[in-house]
Amino acid sequence: MSRRDKPTIRAKSPARSKTGREKPPMRDKSPAPSFCKSPVPSKGREKPQKRDKSPAHGHGRNPVRSNIGREKPPERKVPAPVRGKSPVRARNIGNPNETMKDTKGRQQITEQDEIKKTKAPKQPTRISEGKTAMVQLKETASLTMDRKGDRVHSNTEKVLAKTLALLKLKKTRISESASVVNEVVDLIKAHMNKNTKCFEHVSSLKTGSYYENVKISDPDEFDVMFPVPIRRVNVRPFGTDGAFYSVELKREKHSLEPFLQDDNTLSASEMLTAFRNEVKTSVKERKDVILEKKKKGCPAVTLLIGEVPISLDIVLGLEVRSSWPAFTSEGFKIENWLGTKVKKDLKSKPYYLVPKYEGNGTKENDGVLAKDAWRISFSHVEKFVLKNHGSLKTCCEAGGTRCCRKDCLKLLKHLLDLLKKDYSCLSKFCSYHVKTTLLHACCSRPHDNQWEAAQLGLCFQQLLGDFVRHLKDGKLPNFFIPEQNLLGSGIITKNCKFLAQLIEEEQNNGFPIFCKREETSFSSS
């Protein structure tokens, strides 16, 4: 048969012809519409997989139909293990039924092995990844610290609030104690006015923490001064710090003549002895009153009243009606806090001298023994300032803004008392150190909004910081006489730093000493 006689066979698709002479048509590179069907392949070629519109099976692949029409089971492909991860986790990805067991030890060993196997060119990538991870770790740690700090701050606020509630005086106890104390004070004063010549003009001046409204725990301690008014006197400094003075009376008749020495100076020790005897005589008929033994260098006669003893300190004093000593000119800086007018009014009031000395009393200065010197006192001014402590007159009054000055003072006094019970070496520290620290703090932070009651935790921490700085420096200036260092004589520098360390430990740990006190109080109640 000749070539012409052979029938012409047409290929179904030029792209699938066996001769290969014809060029296949150019394929359109534009994406096919979603509704277009896949082209049907020529005979003898594998059919492409048809997309099954039925819901996907468990393995996420549609079954492939063969030429006969039967479904072929899908081939299961195990994913390759992930590089750089724990091999235990990679196996679990391939076998979901296997329980995942990931431990820190195995993970660390795997990571070390992977680092050894890593090629040198990939090291920069790993380093950069490490830096990014480190930054994220620092940010996470910082966030965690912030949250932790907020939590600690919140817990501290709760501890301080609970402690203040425990320190609050009970009204029934206040009424009972005040009634008994007033009765004894009136009895002593009446005896002095009627039965003595030296002390017939004494008055009573109630001072101390109870009358300043900063007493804590229990109303079991009261201080009342019995001042003797004196006029036409010459007050000379005893020493160089401006806190102690000798008193010389003018040459004229005076009820205090029995206590004058040869140089016409008033003997503090002899006058205190006579005063003590008169107090003892005035209460001898009271079976519920006991006279405590005399304490060296103490200006008070201490009485214990009742079965549950109430301590009453009767303090002898001299009321000096003259201008304040020159040593006070650089102190008492309340202008920015309470105002210039208040300062002027307070400085126009008299000041007081009490028979208190330091050391053994045998030190002599200008012919006067230390035991015969007098220490200056501004307890009446301190009482006024603490009761009128706001830069605004409405501070802590009804309808006014409440501050936390007194609350901070109570907390610091309580903290010092608890530490003194645990460490006998701190016995020289007293509440007057705390009060002086608060007075200085009020002058440095004079505005009421710097002592908001809602910011008790922050304000207390600031006051603690002030006290700790004074302790570390070993210097706490007298609020009225800056040249006198209240941490100077009688207090060892080592003990100051030890107390500062104890306070900082309490600060950093959320005041565990207050928590112990709460547990004790609740268990006893």
Side-chain angles (χ1 to χ4, degrees):
M1 182 180 294
S2 64
R3 185 179 298 179
R4 295 180 178 178
D5 295 334
K6 289 182 181 180
T8 305
I9 300 174
R10 294 182 179 179
K12 293 183 179 180
S13 174
R16 306 297 182 183
S17 62
K18 296 180 181 179
T19 57
R21 294 178 180 177
E22 297 182 6
K23 293 183 179 180
M26 295 295 292
R27 188 175 181 179
D28 189 3
K29 295 183 180 180
S30 60
S34 58
F35 55 83
C36 295
K37 296 182 180 180
S38 301
V40 180
S42 61
K43 194 173 181 179
R45 306 282 291 185
E46 278 189 8
K47 295 183 179 180
Q49 296 181 4
K50 293 185 179 180
R51 181 172 293 179
D52 190 3
K53 295 183 180 180
S54 61
H57 296 280
H59 293 281
R61 294 184 178 276
N62 295 330
V64 181
R65 296 181 180 274
S66 62
N67 291 336
I68 336 175
R70 294 180 181 178
E71 291 183 355
K72 292 183 180 179
E75 293 182 3
R76 185 174 181 180
K77 296 182 180 181
V78 180
V82 183
R83 301 290 292 178
K85 301 288 184 179
S86 174
V88 178
R89 291 188 180 273
R91 283 200 306 272
N92 290 332
I93 296 173
N95 188 3
N97 295 326
E98 185 181 352
T99 306
M100 296 180 68
K101 298 179 182 179
D102 188 10
T103 59
K104 291 184 178 180
R106 296 179 63 182
Q107 186 174 358
Q108 290 175 358
I109 294 172
T110 304
E111 290 177 354
Q112 291 176 1
D113 293 341
E114 291 297 330
I115 292 172
K116 291 179 181 179
K117 295 177 181 179
T118 305
K119 295 181 180 180
K122 294 186 179 181
Q123 286 181 0
T125 307
R126 287 188 174 271
I127 292 173
S128 60
E129 290 175 357
K131 287 183 179 179
T132 306
M134 184 60 68
V135 172
Q136 293 176 353
L137 181 61
K138 287 183 178 179
E139 291 176 354
T140 306
S142 176
L143 181 60
T144 305
M145 290 293 291
D146 291 341
R147 291 175 178 172
K148 184 178 179 182
D150 292 340
R151 183 168 66 254
V152 171
H153 177 72
S154 176
N155 292 339
T156 302
E157 291 279 356
K158 292 179 181 178
V159 170
L160 297 181
K162 289 181 180 179
T163 304
L164 276 176
L166 292 173
L167 297 178
K168 189 176 181 180
L169 302 182
K170 296 181 180 179
K171 292 183 179 180
T172 54
R173 180 70 172 146
I174 291 174
S175 178
E176 294 172 359
S177 301
S179 177
V180 173
V181 167
N182 291 337
E183 187 179 340
V184 174
V185 169
D186 292 341
L187 178 65
I188 297 173
K189 183 174 178 294
H191 171 78
M192 296 286 184
N193 296 147
K194 294 179 180 179
N195 303 322
T196 67
K197 291 184 178 181
C198 302
F199 309 109
E200 62 180 343
H201 299 297
V202 297
S203 58
S204 60
L205 179 63
K206 296 176 180 179
T207 60
S209 60
Y210 175 79
Y211 300 104
E212 294 167 350
N213 298 328
V214 291
K215 188 74 180 72
I216 60 175
S217 299
D218 197 36
D220 55 356
E221 292 181 357
F222 294 81
D223 300 292
V224 180
M225 183 187 292
F226 277 53
V228 179
I230 57 174
R231 293 173 178 82
R232 295 178 58 82
V233 295
N234 182 20
V235 179
R236 295 178 300 178
F238 182 91
T240 58
D241 60 3
F244 297 89
Y245 295 85
S246 62
V247 179
E248 180 183 353
L249 298 181
K250 301 294 182 180
R251 295 187 178 275
E252 61 181 24
K253 289 186 178 181
H254 201 284
S255 60
L256 300 179
E257 284 184 1
F259 312 117
L260 292 179
Q261 297 178 326
D262 296 338
D263 57 355
N264 225 34
T265 57
L266 195 59
S267 173
S269 59
E270 292 180 9
M271 190 171 175
L272 179 59
T273 300
F275 180 76
R276 180 181 178 85
N277 292 335
E278 294 297 340
V279 172
K280 183 178 179 180
T281 303
S282 65
V283 297
K284 67 180 180 180
E285 300 298 330
R286 294 284 301 246
K287 303 298 182 182
D288 59 338
V289 178
I290 300 174
L291 182 68
E292 268 199 348
K293 292 182 178 181
K294 184 179 179 179
K295 298 177 183 178
K296 191 176 182 180
C298 179
V301 181
T302 304
L303 302 175
L304 299 178
I305 307 171
E307 295 181 359
V308 180
I310 300 172
S311 177
L312 172 60
D313 284 347
I314 306 295
V315 182
L316 172 65
L318 300 177
E319 181 182 289
V320 183
R321 291 188 172 273
S322 65
S323 58
W324 290 11
F327 284 98
T328 64
S329 60
E330 297 299 324
F332 196 46
K333 300 289 188 181
I334 64 169
E335 294 88 347
N336 295 330
W337 173 23
L338 301 177
T340 306
K341 185 178 182 300
V342 174
K343 178 178 180 178
K344 184 178 179 180
D345 292 342
L346 291 174
K347 292 200 73 171
S348 66
K349 296 182 180 296
Y351 63 92
Y352 297 89
L353 298 170
V354 296
K356 181 177 177 62
Y357 62 89
E358 293 180 344
N360 55 15
T362 58
K363 181 181 177 181
E364 186 176 342
N365 190 351
D366 293 335
V368 180
L369 295 176
K371 66 179 181 178
D372 291 325
W374 302 77
R375 193 191 71 180
I376 196 167
S377 171
F378 296 98
S379 56
H380 61 303
V381 178
E382 294 165 2
K383 175 183 174 182
F384 176 88
V385 167
L386 289 176
K387 294 188 75 172
N388 303 273
H389 53 264
S391 58
L392 299 176
K393 293 183 178 180
T394 57
C395 181
C396 293
E397 292 184 357
T401 305
R402 186 175 177 274
C403 78
C404 63
R405 290 179 177 94
K406 288 186 177 181
D407 290 341
C408 290
L409 177 59
K410 291 177 182 179
L411 288 170
L412 185 49
K413 285 176 61 177
H414 182 52
L415 177 60
L416 180 60
D417 288 344
L418 294 177
L419 292 174
K420 286 172 65 176
K421 289 179 182 178
D422 293 341
Y423 302 96
S424 58
C425 62
L426 305 178
S427 59
K428 292 292 184 179
F429 298 96
C430 63
S431 61
Y432 193 72
H433 294 125
V434 175
K435 183 200 291 187
T436 303
T437 302
L438 176 71
L439 294 176
H440 284 300
C442 288
C443 290
S444 61
R445 299 184 289 276
H447 304 295
D448 294 342
N449 59 8
Q450 294 174 303
W451 297 88
E452 290 183 359
Q455 300 295 328
L456 173 64
L458 174 62
C459 296
F460 182 54
Q461 295 282 9
Q462 288 178 332
L463 185 62
L464 284 178
D466 295 336
F467 191 44
V468 167
R469 280 191 296 273
H470 289 308
L471 292 171
K472 289 182 176 180
D473 295 340
K475 187 176 182 181
L476 176 60
N478 186 307
F479 185 64
F480 300 91
I481 308 170
E483 293 187 26
Q484 186 198 17
N485 180 16
L486 298 180
L487 298 177
S489 70
I491 298 180
I492 304 174
T493 305
K494 180 176 67 175
N495 291 339
C496 289
K497 294 185 177 181
F498 179 61
L499 177 57
Q501 179 184 350
L502 293 176
I503 292 175
E504 287 180 329
E505 289 177 358
E506 292 294 327
Q507 281 183 282
N508 297 333
N509 294 286
F511 304 100
I513 198 168
F514 287 163
C515 300
K516 292 179 183 177
R517 164 63 192 249
E518 290 174 18
E519 294 173 1
T520 306
S521 300
F522 287 126
S523 62
S524 60
S525 59

